[in-house]
Amino acid sequence: MQPRTNAKLRKVTMIGWHGRLSEASTQDAVVGVVQDFVSILADSELDELPTGCRPGPMTNAQQVTVFALMLAHRHDGDPKTAPALHRVATFFTKAALRIYQIGERSHEVAAERGAPRRVAGNG
């Protein structure tokens, strides 16, 4: 796979970012998408974010989820009040949701593997 450049990543729309999150099949893959997203945020976008809302290094799913929750508490939901905050909060909310979905799917699969199999007619 060819490494992505910041120039190529900058051209990805929000729909594209959400698509990349939806396609991620592991929590580590979601973290990779988050790292790409954070790496292309322009200084002007970062400057628009309130103090304490600038993303730092994201190396694991827990950091992504904690940051998403913090942004959700800071964001009033109005995309007109702070476009950069709205964009970043929306992205991180979607990333945290995807992390949760992958975790839930993993738990369901593990539970199914551990549950005794029922045979038709026994029950």
Side-chain angles (χ1 to χ4, degrees):
M1 178 182 255
Q2 187 176 3
R4 299 175 196 271
T5 65
N6 277 353
K8 287 180 184 176
L9 290 175
R10 283 190 200 281
K11 293 180 183 178
V12 178
T13 65
M14 280 307 287
I15 293 171
W17 285 112
H18 290 266
R20 286 190 63 199
L21 289 172
S22 294
E23 291 172 356
S25 59
T26 66
Q27 291 181 350
D28 287 341
V30 173
V31 173
V33 174
V34 168
Q35 290 170 338
D36 285 348
F37 178 82
V38 170
S39 76
I40 60 94
L41 289 173
D43 289 339
S44 60
E45 287 178 292
L46 293 171
D47 290 344
E48 283 182 45
L49 297 174
T51 304
C53 292
R54 293 183 181 142
M58 298 284 159
T59 58
N60 62 55
Q62 183 178 5
Q63 289 173 324
V64 173
T65 301
V66 168
F67 190 69
L69 289 170
M70 186 275 301
L71 287 173
H73 288 342
R74 295 291 302 267
H75 185 357
D76 64 5
D78 182 356
K80 294 178 185 170
T81 57
L85 179 58
H86 178 75
R87 179 175 183 245
V88 172
T90 300
F91 174 80
F92 272 90
T93 298
K94 173 74 174 182
L97 176 60
R98 185 69 185 130
I99 287 167
Y100 174 78
Q101 290 169 334
I102 292 167
E104 281 299 299
R105 186 179 65 217
S106 295
H107 288 128
E108 289 172 4
V109 169
E112 286 176 7
R113 287 184 181 154
R117 302 223 179 246
R118 296 183 73 180
V119 179
N122 287 347

